[in-house]
Amino acid sequence: MSALQRWWPTVLPDVFAGYPRQLCLKCLGHVDVIAQVLQQDSIWSTVDGGTSAYRNARKWGLSGKWDMILAVLYESGATENWPTVSRWGAEPFNSFGFPNSGVFTIISLRQALVYKHEGGPALDEPMPMQQLFQRAANWRVAVNWRVAEN
């Protein structure tokens, strides 16, 4: 049984409710690619399907779906062999508050490590990563707006 088949019954009802079946299959394929990128701590563009999976990962991070998906991945045991620190470093933001390269990978690996130490997701904190992803996205929007203004 593939990881995709194991995640299907758990992820589909909560995260992808209302999606057409074909889109669900595509999204779950992206979950597989994202899990592969995180496990190998590789660069998105070097993995087959990594670029489009990265786009979905960013969207899911901003909407809070990635929080739910990562919790399911943790509970299914898929995060067991993930590295504890990314090649990109340990901090998602630098001392000036700007997002570092690999911010999605850093945040996801750190949260998987938190789940490992705490025995799973905390019920009182349903979307711990969403705020960090929004902070990174807001910084990018502000920079792009300033560049377009000049």
Side-chain angles (χ1 to χ4, degrees):
M1 178 184 289
S2 77
L4 190 62
Q5 291 167 333
R6 282 196 318 264
W7 300 335
W8 178 270
T10 314
V11 174
L12 182 64
D14 295 336
V15 180
F16 300 119
Y19 283 47
R21 182 172 169 71
Q22 283 303 106
L23 186 58
C24 285
L25 290 172
K26 188 174 184 177
C27 289
L28 287 171
H30 287 166
V31 171
D32 238 359
V33 171
I34 295 166
Q36 178 185 352
V37 166
L38 293 172
Q39 181 174 358
Q40 297 171 356
D41 194 21
S42 56
I43 298 170
W44 292 93
S45 59
T46 62
V47 177
D48 190 30
T51 305
S52 56
Y54 176 71
R55 279 190 226 110
N56 268 351
R58 286 190 54 200
K59 265 194 314 195
W60 295 339
L62 290 172
S63 70
K65 283 185 181 358
W66 182 244
D67 287 276
M68 292 186 280
I69 294 169
L70 186 61
V72 170
L73 292 177
Y74 169 78
E75 290 173 7
S76 72
T79 63
E80 277 299 310
N81 298 324
W82 287 9
T84 55
V85 177
S86 173
R87 71 170 62 220
W88 304 106
E91 294 300 320
F93 300 94
N94 66 22
S95 59
F96 299 108
F98 301 129
N100 287 325
S101 297
V103 69
F104 181 87
T105 304
I106 295 167
I107 292 170
S108 298
L109 292 177
R110 284 179 67 181
Q111 192 62 37
L113 187 62
V114 167
Y115 287 164
K116 188 182 287 188
H117 288 297
E118 294 180 355
L123 298 176
D124 60 336
E125 190 181 13
M127 306 288 180
M129 295 182 292
Q130 183 180 15
Q131 294 173 359
L132 293 172
F133 291 128
Q134 287 174 344
R135 179 177 162 196
N138 289 342
W139 175 83
R140 285 189 179 98
V141 168
V143 168
N144 291 338
W145 177 72
R146 287 186 192 122
V147 168
E149 196 177 64
N150 294 330

PDB file of all heavy atoms in Angstrom, residues 63-101:
ATOM      1  N   SER A  63      -3.732  28.887   3.726  1.00  0.00           N
ATOM      2  CA  SER A  63      -5.138  28.628   4.075  1.00  0.00           C
ATOM      3  C   SER A  63      -5.296  27.787   5.337  1.00  0.00           C
ATOM      4  O   SER A  63      -6.394  27.660   5.856  1.00  0.00           O
ATOM      5  CB  SER A  63      -5.838  27.921   2.915  1.00  0.00           C
ATOM      6  OG  SER A  63      -5.344  26.592   2.781  1.00  0.00           O
ATOM      7  N   GLY A  64      -4.195  27.170   5.804  1.00  0.00           N
ATOM      8  CA  GLY A  64      -4.284  26.323   6.992  1.00  0.00           C
ATOM      9  C   GLY A  64      -4.448  24.850   6.666  1.00  0.00           C
ATOM     10  O   GLY A  64      -4.417  24.000   7.557  1.00  0.00           O
ATOM     11  N   LYS A  65      -4.626  24.527   5.387  1.00  0.00           N
ATOM     12  CA  LYS A  65      -4.771  23.118   5.002  1.00  0.00           C
ATOM     13  C   LYS A  65      -3.494  22.323   5.296  1.00  0.00           C
ATOM     14  O   LYS A  65      -3.554  21.163   5.672  1.00  0.00           O
ATOM     15  CB  LYS A  65      -5.117  23.000   3.526  1.00  0.00           C
ATOM     16  CG  LYS A  65      -6.554  23.317   3.185  1.00  0.00           C
ATOM     17  CD  LYS A  65      -6.795  23.048   1.726  1.00  0.00           C
ATOM     18  CE  LYS A  65      -8.143  23.321   1.177  1.00  0.00           C
ATOM     19  NZ  LYS A  65      -9.213  23.772   1.928  1.00  0.00           N
ATOM     20  N   TRP A  66      -2.324  22.957   5.131  1.00  0.00           N
ATOM     21  CA  TRP A  66      -1.077  22.251   5.358  1.00  0.00           C
ATOM     22  C   TRP A  66      -0.939  21.827   6.825  1.00  0.00           C
ATOM     23  O   TRP A  66      -0.385  20.782   7.123  1.00  0.00           O
ATOM     24  CB  TRP A  66       0.131  23.067   4.907  1.00  0.00           C
ATOM     25  CG  TRP A  66       1.401  22.301   5.112  1.00  0.00           C
ATOM     26  CD1 TRP A  66       2.420  22.623   5.939  1.00  0.00           C
ATOM     27  CD2 TRP A  66       1.767  21.059   4.508  1.00  0.00           C
ATOM     28  NE1 TRP A  66       3.401  21.658   5.890  1.00  0.00           N
ATOM     29  CE2 TRP A  66       3.022  20.694   5.015  1.00  0.00           C
ATOM     30  CE3 TRP A  66       1.153  20.215   3.588  1.00  0.00           C
ATOM     31  CZ2 TRP A  66       3.677  19.522   4.636  1.00  0.00           C
ATOM     32  CZ3 TRP A  66       1.808  19.047   3.208  1.00  0.00           C
ATOM     33  CH2 TRP A  66       3.052  18.710   3.731  1.00  0.00           C
ATOM     34  N   ASP A  67      -1.465  22.620   7.741  1.00  0.00           N
ATOM     35  CA  ASP A  67      -1.461  22.238   9.154  1.00  0.00           C
ATOM     36  C   ASP A  67      -2.185  20.908   9.349  1.00  0.00           C
ATOM     37  O   ASP A  67      -1.705  20.024  10.051  1.00  0.00           O
ATOM     38  CB  ASP A  67      -2.128  23.315  10.017  1.00  0.00           C
ATOM     39  CG  ASP A  67      -1.272  24.550  10.167  1.00  0.00           C
ATOM     40  OD1 ASP A  67      -0.407  24.550  11.052  1.00  0.00           O
ATOM     41  OD2 ASP A  67      -1.459  25.492   9.398  1.00  0.00           O
ATOM     42  N   MET A  68      -3.353  20.779   8.705  1.00  0.00           N
ATOM     43  CA  MET A  68      -4.128  19.537   8.825  1.00  0.00           C
ATOM     44  C   MET A  68      -3.416  18.376   8.147  1.00  0.00           C
ATOM     45  O   MET A  68      -3.382  17.263   8.680  1.00  0.00           O
ATOM     46  CB  MET A  68      -5.518  19.731   8.218  1.00  0.00           C
ATOM     47  CG  MET A  68      -6.381  20.698   9.003  1.00  0.00           C
ATOM     48  SD  MET A  68      -8.074  20.782   8.374  1.00  0.00           S
ATOM     49  CE  MET A  68      -7.877  21.869   6.972  1.00  0.00           C
ATOM     50  N   ILE A  69      -2.835  18.638   6.985  1.00  0.00           N
ATOM     51  CA  ILE A  69      -2.145  17.573   6.247  1.00  0.00           C
ATOM     52  C   ILE A  69      -0.931  17.091   7.035  1.00  0.00           C
ATOM     53  O   ILE A  69      -0.709  15.875   7.158  1.00  0.00           O
ATOM     54  CB  ILE A  69      -1.734  18.063   4.839  1.00  0.00           C
ATOM     55  CG1 ILE A  69      -2.971  18.343   3.986  1.00  0.00           C
ATOM     56  CG2 ILE A  69      -0.830  17.051   4.162  1.00  0.00           C
ATOM     57  CD1 ILE A  69      -2.690  19.068   2.690  1.00  0.00           C
ATOM     58  N   LEU A  70      -0.153  18.016   7.588  1.00  0.00           N
ATOM     59  CA  LEU A  70       1.035  17.619   8.353  1.00  0.00           C
ATOM     60  C   LEU A  70       0.650  16.807   9.584  1.00  0.00           C
ATOM     61  O   LEU A  70       1.330  15.849   9.938  1.00  0.00           O
ATOM     62  CB  LEU A  70       1.873  18.830   8.754  1.00  0.00           C
ATOM     63  CG  LEU A  70       3.206  18.503   9.430  1.00  0.00           C
ATOM     64  CD1 LEU A  70       4.113  17.691   8.500  1.00  0.00           C
ATOM     65  CD2 LEU A  70       3.916  19.754   9.869  1.00  0.00           C
ATOM     66  N   ALA A  71      -0.453  17.165  10.226  1.00  0.00           N
ATOM     67  CA  ALA A  71      -0.925  16.388  11.377  1.00  0.00           C
ATOM     68  C   ALA A  71      -1.254  14.959  10.962  1.00  0.00           C
ATOM     69  O   ALA A  71      -0.912  13.994  11.660  1.00  0.00           O
ATOM     70  CB  ALA A  71      -2.142  17.055  12.006  1.00  0.00           C
ATOM     71  N   VAL A  72      -1.878  14.804   9.796  1.00  0.00           N
ATOM     72  CA  VAL A  72      -2.205  13.464   9.289  1.00  0.00           C
ATOM     73  C   VAL A  72      -0.923  12.705   8.942  1.00  0.00           C
ATOM     74  O   VAL A  72      -0.789  11.512   9.243  1.00  0.00           O
ATOM     75  CB  VAL A  72      -3.138  13.547   8.067  1.00  0.00           C
ATOM     76  CG1 VAL A  72      -3.297  12.202   7.396  1.00  0.00           C
ATOM     77  CG2 VAL A  72      -4.492  14.099   8.482  1.00  0.00           C
ATOM     78  N   LEU A  73       0.023  13.397   8.309  1.00  0.00           N
ATOM     79  CA  LEU A  73       1.296  12.746   7.975  1.00  0.00           C
ATOM     80  C   LEU A  73       2.011  12.279   9.237  1.00  0.00           C
ATOM     81  O   LEU A  73       2.569  11.183   9.274  1.00  0.00           O
ATOM     82  CB  LEU A  73       2.201  13.702   7.193  1.00  0.00           C
ATOM     83  CG  LEU A  73       1.742  14.078   5.791  1.00  0.00           C
ATOM     84  CD1 LEU A  73       2.700  15.089   5.171  1.00  0.00           C
ATOM     85  CD2 LEU A  73       1.640  12.856   4.922  1.00  0.00           C
ATOM     86  N   TYR A  74       1.990  13.100  10.275  1.00  0.00           N
ATOM     87  CA  TYR A  74       2.613  12.710  11.541  1.00  0.00           C
ATOM     88  C   TYR A  74       1.931  11.469  12.113  1.00  0.00           C
ATOM     89  O   TYR A  74       2.587  10.508  12.502  1.00  0.00           O
ATOM     90  CB  TYR A  74       2.571  13.852  12.567  1.00  0.00           C
ATOM     91  CG  TYR A  74       2.970  13.379  13.934  1.00  0.00           C
ATOM     92  CD1 TYR A  74       4.311  13.194  14.245  1.00  0.00           C
ATOM     93  CD2 TYR A  74       2.014  13.035  14.880  1.00  0.00           C
ATOM     94  CE1 TYR A  74       4.687  12.707  15.484  1.00  0.00           C
ATOM     95  CE2 TYR A  74       2.384  12.551  16.113  1.00  0.00           C
ATOM     96  CZ  TYR A  74       3.724  12.381  16.414  1.00  0.00           C
ATOM     97  OH  TYR A  74       4.089  11.878  17.624  1.00  0.00           O
ATOM     98  N   GLU A  75       0.615  11.499  12.161  1.00  0.00           N
ATOM     99  CA  GLU A  75      -0.127  10.390  12.755  1.00  0.00           C
ATOM    100  C   GLU A  75      -0.001   9.110  11.944  1.00  0.00           C
ATOM    101  O   GLU A  75      -0.112   8.020  12.496  1.00  0.00           O
ATOM    102  CB  GLU A  75      -1.581  10.787  12.964  1.00  0.00           C
ATOM    103  CG  GLU A  75      -1.706  11.823  14.080  1.00  0.00           C
ATOM    104  CD  GLU A  75      -3.103  12.385  14.246  1.00  0.00           C
ATOM    105  OE1 GLU A  75      -4.029  11.878  13.584  1.00  0.00           O
ATOM    106  OE2 GLU A  75      -3.248  13.317  15.040  1.00  0.00           O
ATOM    107  N   SER A  76       0.255   9.216  10.650  1.00  0.00           N
ATOM    108  CA  SER A  76       0.435   8.018   9.823  1.00  0.00           C
ATOM    109  C   SER A  76       1.869   7.491   9.887  1.00  0.00           C
ATOM    110  O   SER A  76       2.172   6.455   9.322  1.00  0.00           O
ATOM    111  CB  SER A  76       0.056   8.313   8.373  1.00  0.00           C
ATOM    112  OG  SER A  76       1.036   9.138   7.768  1.00  0.00           O
ATOM    113  N   GLY A  77       2.758   8.228  10.563  1.00  0.00           N
ATOM    114  CA  GLY A  77       4.147   7.793  10.687  1.00  0.00           C
ATOM    115  C   GLY A  77       5.037   8.226   9.537  1.00  0.00           C
ATOM    116  O   GLY A  77       6.210   7.858   9.472  1.00  0.00           O
ATOM    117  N   ALA A  78       4.517   9.041   8.632  1.00  0.00           N
ATOM    118  CA  ALA A  78       5.275   9.459   7.453  1.00  0.00           C
ATOM    119  C   ALA A  78       6.408  10.425   7.780  1.00  0.00           C
ATOM    120  O   ALA A  78       7.335  10.586   6.994  1.00  0.00           O
ATOM    121  CB  ALA A  78       4.349  10.079   6.416  1.00  0.00           C
ATOM    122  N   THR A  79       6.362  11.077   8.942  1.00  0.00           N
ATOM    123  CA  THR A  79       7.387  12.073   9.282  1.00  0.00           C
ATOM    124  C   THR A  79       8.530  11.482  10.105  1.00  0.00           C
ATOM    125  O   THR A  79       9.439  12.207  10.482  1.00  0.00           O
ATOM    126  CB  THR A  79       6.765  13.245  10.067  1.00  0.00           C
ATOM    127  OG1 THR A  79       6.237  12.750  11.301  1.00  0.00           O
ATOM    128  CG2 THR A  79       5.665  13.914   9.280  1.00  0.00           C
ATOM    129  N   GLU A  80       8.488  10.189  10.382  1.00  0.00           N
ATOM    130  CA  GLU A  80       9.495   9.541  11.238  1.00  0.00           C
ATOM    131  C   GLU A  80      10.927   9.749  10.759  1.00  0.00           C
ATOM    132  O   GLU A  80      11.817   9.981  11.558  1.00  0.00           O
ATOM    133  CB  GLU A  80       9.225   8.037  11.340  1.00  0.00           C
ATOM    134  CG  GLU A  80       8.194   7.672  12.359  1.00  0.00           C
ATOM    135  CD  GLU A  80       8.594   8.093  13.766  1.00  0.00           C
ATOM    136  OE1 GLU A  80       9.717   7.784  14.196  1.00  0.00           O
ATOM    137  OE2 GLU A  80       7.770   8.737  14.417  1.00  0.00           O
ATOM    138  N   ASN A  81      11.140   9.665   9.460  1.00  0.00           N
ATOM    139  CA  ASN A  81      12.504   9.735   8.916  1.00  0.00           C
ATOM    140  C   ASN A  81      12.866  11.106   8.372  1.00  0.00           C
ATOM    141  O   ASN A  81      13.842  11.252   7.646  1.00  0.00           O
ATOM    142  CB  ASN A  81      12.689   8.684   7.814  1.00  0.00           C
ATOM    143  CG  ASN A  81      12.522   7.290   8.349  1.00  0.00           C
ATOM    144  OD1 ASN A  81      12.914   6.999   9.471  1.00  0.00           O
ATOM    145  ND2 ASN A  81      11.909   6.423   7.563  1.00  0.00           N
ATOM    146  N   TRP A  82      12.080  12.109   8.704  1.00  0.00           N
ATOM    147  CA  TRP A  82      12.386  13.450   8.228  1.00  0.00           C
ATOM    148  C   TRP A  82      13.539  14.015   9.026  1.00  0.00           C
ATOM    149  O   TRP A  82      13.678  13.749  10.221  1.00  0.00           O
ATOM    150  CB  TRP A  82      11.172  14.354   8.371  1.00  0.00           C
ATOM    151  CG  TRP A  82      10.076  14.088   7.385  1.00  0.00           C
ATOM    152  CD1 TRP A  82       9.979  13.044   6.518  1.00  0.00           C
ATOM    153  CD2 TRP A  82       8.903  14.867   7.196  1.00  0.00           C
ATOM    154  NE1 TRP A  82       8.817  13.132   5.802  1.00  0.00           N
ATOM    155  CE2 TRP A  82       8.140  14.241   6.190  1.00  0.00           C
ATOM    156  CE3 TRP A  82       8.425  16.022   7.769  1.00  0.00           C
ATOM    157  CZ2 TRP A  82       6.928  14.740   5.745  1.00  0.00           C
ATOM    158  CZ3 TRP A  82       7.210  16.531   7.327  1.00  0.00           C
ATOM    159  CH2 TRP A  82       6.478  15.901   6.325  1.00  0.00           C
ATOM    160  N   PRO A  83      14.399  14.825   8.387  1.00  0.00           N
ATOM    161  CA  PRO A  83      15.502  15.446   9.136  1.00  0.00           C
ATOM    162  C   PRO A  83      14.967  16.447  10.162  1.00  0.00           C
ATOM    163  O   PRO A  83      13.862  16.966  10.020  1.00  0.00           O
ATOM    164  CB  PRO A  83      16.318  16.164   8.045  1.00  0.00           C
ATOM    165  CG  PRO A  83      15.387  16.316   6.894  1.00  0.00           C
ATOM    166  CD  PRO A  83      14.378  15.217   6.984  1.00  0.00           C
ATOM    167  N   THR A  84      15.752  16.696  11.191  1.00  0.00           N
ATOM    168  CA  THR A  84      15.315  17.633  12.229  1.00  0.00           C
ATOM    169  C   THR A  84      15.662  19.074  11.879  1.00  0.00           C
ATOM    170  O   THR A  84      15.012  19.995  12.348  1.00  0.00           O
ATOM    171  CB  THR A  84      15.934  17.272  13.588  1.00  0.00           C
ATOM    172  OG1 THR A  84      17.340  17.227  13.439  1.00  0.00           O
ATOM    173  CG2 THR A  84      15.409  15.936  14.072  1.00  0.00           C
ATOM    174  N   VAL A  85      16.679  19.273  11.066  1.00  0.00           N
ATOM    175  CA  VAL A  85      17.076  20.608  10.623  1.00  0.00           C
ATOM    176  C   VAL A  85      17.232  20.583   9.113  1.00  0.00           C
ATOM    177  O   VAL A  85      17.760  19.626   8.558  1.00  0.00           O
ATOM    178  CB  VAL A  85      18.405  21.048  11.291  1.00  0.00           C
ATOM    179  CG1 VAL A  85      18.841  22.400  10.779  1.00  0.00           C
ATOM    180  CG2 VAL A  85      18.255  21.080  12.797  1.00  0.00           C
ATOM    181  N   SER A  86      16.794  21.630   8.466  1.00  0.00           N
ATOM    182  CA  SER A  86      16.859  21.716   7.016  1.00  0.00           C
ATOM    183  C   SER A  86      18.230  22.191   6.537  1.00  0.00           C
ATOM    184  O   SER A  86      18.960  22.845   7.275  1.00  0.00           O
ATOM    185  CB  SER A  86      15.794  22.693   6.522  1.00  0.00           C
ATOM    186  OG  SER A  86      15.934  22.934   5.147  1.00  0.00           O
ATOM    187  N   ARG A  87      18.519  21.890   5.297  1.00  0.00           N
ATOM    188  CA  ARG A  87      19.725  22.424   4.653  1.00  0.00           C
ATOM    189  C   ARG A  87      19.695  23.947   4.622  1.00  0.00           C
ATOM    190  O   ARG A  87      20.701  24.605   4.503  1.00  0.00           O
ATOM    191  CB  ARG A  87      19.860  21.898   3.227  1.00  0.00           C
ATOM    192  CG  ARG A  87      18.808  22.518   2.318  1.00  0.00           C
ATOM    193  CD  ARG A  87      18.947  22.294   0.839  1.00  0.00           C
ATOM    194  NE  ARG A  87      18.871  20.906   0.500  1.00  0.00           N
ATOM    195  CZ  ARG A  87      19.653  20.340  -0.423  1.00  0.00           C
ATOM    196  NH1 ARG A  87      20.514  21.058  -1.077  1.00  0.00           N
ATOM    197  NH2 ARG A  87      19.551  19.078  -0.708  1.00  0.00           N
ATOM    198  N   TRP A  88      18.496  24.516   4.716  1.00  0.00           N
ATOM    199  CA  TRP A  88      18.315  25.966   4.664  1.00  0.00           C
ATOM    200  C   TRP A  88      18.586  26.630   5.997  1.00  0.00           C
ATOM    201  O   TRP A  88      18.584  27.843   6.099  1.00  0.00           O
ATOM    202  CB  TRP A  88      16.892  26.302   4.212  1.00  0.00           C
ATOM    203  CG  TRP A  88      16.526  25.688   2.913  1.00  0.00           C
ATOM    204  CD1 TRP A  88      15.695  24.626   2.726  1.00  0.00           C
ATOM    205  CD2 TRP A  88      16.979  26.059   1.618  1.00  0.00           C
ATOM    206  NE1 TRP A  88      15.602  24.319   1.390  1.00  0.00           N
ATOM    207  CE2 TRP A  88      16.386  25.188   0.687  1.00  0.00           C
ATOM    208  CE3 TRP A  88      17.840  27.053   1.151  1.00  0.00           C
ATOM    209  CZ2 TRP A  88      16.616  25.279  -0.678  1.00  0.00           C
ATOM    210  CZ3 TRP A  88      18.064  27.133  -0.212  1.00  0.00           C
ATOM    211  CH2 TRP A  88      17.463  26.262  -1.107  1.00  0.00           C
ATOM    212  N   GLY A  89      18.750  25.851   7.052  1.00  0.00           N
ATOM    213  CA  GLY A  89      18.991  26.402   8.380  1.00  0.00           C
ATOM    214  C   GLY A  89      17.856  26.034   9.328  1.00  0.00           C
ATOM    215  O   GLY A  89      16.995  25.239   9.000  1.00  0.00           O
ATOM    216  N   ALA A  90      17.873  26.645  10.497  1.00  0.00           N
ATOM    217  CA  ALA A  90      16.882  26.301  11.518  1.00  0.00           C
ATOM    218  C   ALA A  90      15.831  27.386  11.722  1.00  0.00           C
ATOM    219  O   ALA A  90      14.776  27.124  12.269  1.00  0.00           O
ATOM    220  CB  ALA A  90      17.584  26.025  12.846  1.00  0.00           C
ATOM    221  N   GLU A  91      16.105  28.597  11.279  1.00  0.00           N
ATOM    222  CA  GLU A  91      15.189  29.711  11.523  1.00  0.00           C
ATOM    223  C   GLU A  91      14.470  30.113  10.236  1.00  0.00           C
ATOM    224  O   GLU A  91      15.116  30.357   9.223  1.00  0.00           O
ATOM    225  CB  GLU A  91      15.945  30.917  12.091  1.00  0.00           C
ATOM    226  CG  GLU A  91      16.508  30.679  13.470  1.00  0.00           C
ATOM    227  CD  GLU A  91      15.433  30.354  14.493  1.00  0.00           C
ATOM    228  OE1 GLU A  91      14.357  30.979  14.462  1.00  0.00           O
ATOM    229  OE2 GLU A  91      15.676  29.466  15.325  1.00  0.00           O
ATOM    230  N   PRO A  92      13.138  30.223  10.282  1.00  0.00           N
ATOM    231  CA  PRO A  92      12.406  30.620   9.077  1.00  0.00           C
ATOM    232  C   PRO A  92      12.595  32.087   8.689  1.00  0.00           C
ATOM    233  O   PRO A  92      12.474  32.445   7.528  1.00  0.00           O
ATOM    234  CB  PRO A  92      10.945  30.330   9.415  1.00  0.00           C
ATOM    235  CG  PRO A  92      10.879  30.207  10.887  1.00  0.00           C
ATOM    236  CD  PRO A  92      12.254  29.879  11.378  1.00  0.00           C
ATOM    237  N   PHE A  93      12.927  32.945   9.670  1.00  0.00           N
ATOM    238  CA  PHE A  93      13.096  34.371   9.396  1.00  0.00           C
ATOM    239  C   PHE A  93      14.453  34.831   9.911  1.00  0.00           C
ATOM    240  O   PHE A  93      14.923  34.368  10.951  1.00  0.00           O
ATOM    241  CB  PHE A  93      11.979  35.182  10.067  1.00  0.00           C
ATOM    242  CG  PHE A  93      10.612  34.789   9.586  1.00  0.00           C
ATOM    243  CD1 PHE A  93       9.863  33.853  10.278  1.00  0.00           C
ATOM    244  CD2 PHE A  93      10.097  35.339   8.431  1.00  0.00           C
ATOM    245  CE1 PHE A  93       8.610  33.469   9.820  1.00  0.00           C
ATOM    246  CE2 PHE A  93       8.844  34.970   7.969  1.00  0.00           C
ATOM    247  CZ  PHE A  93       8.103  34.034   8.656  1.00  0.00           C
ATOM    248  N   ASN A  94      15.087  35.748   9.176  1.00  0.00           N
ATOM    249  CA  ASN A  94      16.390  36.244   9.621  1.00  0.00           C
ATOM    250  C   ASN A  94      16.211  37.313  10.697  1.00  0.00           C
ATOM    251  O   ASN A  94      15.092  37.640  11.079  1.00  0.00           O
ATOM    252  CB  ASN A  94      17.229  36.742   8.434  1.00  0.00           C
ATOM    253  CG  ASN A  94      16.642  37.959   7.758  1.00  0.00           C
ATOM    254  OD1 ASN A  94      15.856  38.705   8.341  1.00  0.00           O
ATOM    255  ND2 ASN A  94      17.021  38.178   6.513  1.00  0.00           N
ATOM    256  N   SER A  95      17.319  37.884  11.147  1.00  0.00           N
ATOM    257  CA  SER A  95      17.266  38.849  12.249  1.00  0.00           C
ATOM    258  C   SER A  95      16.524  40.138  11.875  1.00  0.00           C
ATOM    259  O   SER A  95      16.090  40.884  12.752  1.00  0.00           O
ATOM    260  CB  SER A  95      18.679  39.183  12.725  1.00  0.00           C
ATOM    261  OG  SER A  95      19.431  39.714  11.652  1.00  0.00           O
ATOM    262  N   PHE A  96      16.353  40.396  10.575  1.00  0.00           N
ATOM    263  CA  PHE A  96      15.610  41.577  10.132  1.00  0.00           C
ATOM    264  C   PHE A  96      14.121  41.283   9.936  1.00  0.00           C
ATOM    265  O   PHE A  96      13.362  42.160   9.588  1.00  0.00           O
ATOM    266  CB  PHE A  96      16.190  42.114   8.818  1.00  0.00           C
ATOM    267  CG  PHE A  96      17.618  42.544   8.946  1.00  0.00           C
ATOM    268  CD1 PHE A  96      18.629  41.795   8.376  1.00  0.00           C
ATOM    269  CD2 PHE A  96      17.952  43.690   9.654  1.00  0.00           C
ATOM    270  CE1 PHE A  96      19.944  42.185   8.503  1.00  0.00           C
ATOM    271  CE2 PHE A  96      19.261  44.088   9.784  1.00  0.00           C
ATOM    272  CZ  PHE A  96      20.272  43.329   9.205  1.00  0.00           C
ATOM    273  N   GLY A  97      13.734  40.023  10.129  1.00  0.00           N
ATOM    274  CA  GLY A  97      12.329  39.642   9.972  1.00  0.00           C
ATOM    275  C   GLY A  97      11.950  39.183   8.586  1.00  0.00           C
ATOM    276  O   GLY A  97      10.796  38.897   8.309  1.00  0.00           O
ATOM    277  N   PHE A  98      12.937  39.105   7.677  1.00  0.00           N
ATOM    278  CA  PHE A  98      12.662  38.651   6.319  1.00  0.00           C
ATOM    279  C   PHE A  98      12.676  37.120   6.282  1.00  0.00           C
ATOM    280  O   PHE A  98      13.471  36.493   6.967  1.00  0.00           O
ATOM    281  CB  PHE A  98      13.714  39.174   5.339  1.00  0.00           C
ATOM    282  CG  PHE A  98      13.806  40.666   5.295  1.00  0.00           C
ATOM    283  CD1 PHE A  98      15.025  41.300   5.440  1.00  0.00           C
ATOM    284  CD2 PHE A  98      12.672  41.441   5.102  1.00  0.00           C
ATOM    285  CE1 PHE A  98      15.114  42.685   5.396  1.00  0.00           C
ATOM    286  CE2 PHE A  98      12.759  42.827   5.053  1.00  0.00           C
ATOM    287  CZ  PHE A  98      13.981  43.444   5.206  1.00  0.00           C
ATOM    288  N   PRO A  99      11.807  36.497   5.445  1.00  0.00           N
ATOM    289  CA  PRO A  99      11.829  35.040   5.350  1.00  0.00           C
ATOM    290  C   PRO A  99      13.127  34.559   4.706  1.00  0.00           C
ATOM    291  O   PRO A  99      13.604  35.141   3.739  1.00  0.00           O
ATOM    292  CB  PRO A  99      10.626  34.704   4.474  1.00  0.00           C
ATOM    293  CG  PRO A  99      10.091  35.979   3.954  1.00  0.00           C
ATOM    294  CD  PRO A  99      10.768  37.107   4.634  1.00  0.00           C
ATOM    295  N   ASN A 100      13.689  33.507   5.285  1.00  0.00           N
ATOM    296  CA  ASN A 100      14.882  32.891   4.710  1.00  0.00           C
ATOM    297  C   ASN A 100      14.499  32.009   3.532  1.00  0.00           C
ATOM    298  O   ASN A 100      13.341  31.631   3.384  1.00  0.00           O
ATOM    299  CB  ASN A 100      15.602  32.035   5.765  1.00  0.00           C
ATOM    300  CG  ASN A 100      16.309  32.879   6.793  1.00  0.00           C
ATOM    301  OD1 ASN A 100      16.819  33.940   6.484  1.00  0.00           O
ATOM    302  ND2 ASN A 100      16.340  32.397   8.022  1.00  0.00           N
ATOM    303  N   SER A 101      15.484  31.667   2.699  1.00  0.00           N
ATOM    304  CA  SER A 101      15.245  30.688   1.642  1.00  0.00           C
ATOM    305  C   SER A 101      14.805  29.389   2.296  1.00  0.00           C
ATOM    306  O   SER A 101      15.290  29.022   3.362  1.00  0.00           O
ATOM    307  CB  SER A 101      16.521  30.447   0.842  1.00  0.00           C
ATOM    308  OG  SER A 101      16.924  31.626   0.204  1.00  0.00           O
TER     309      SER A 101
END
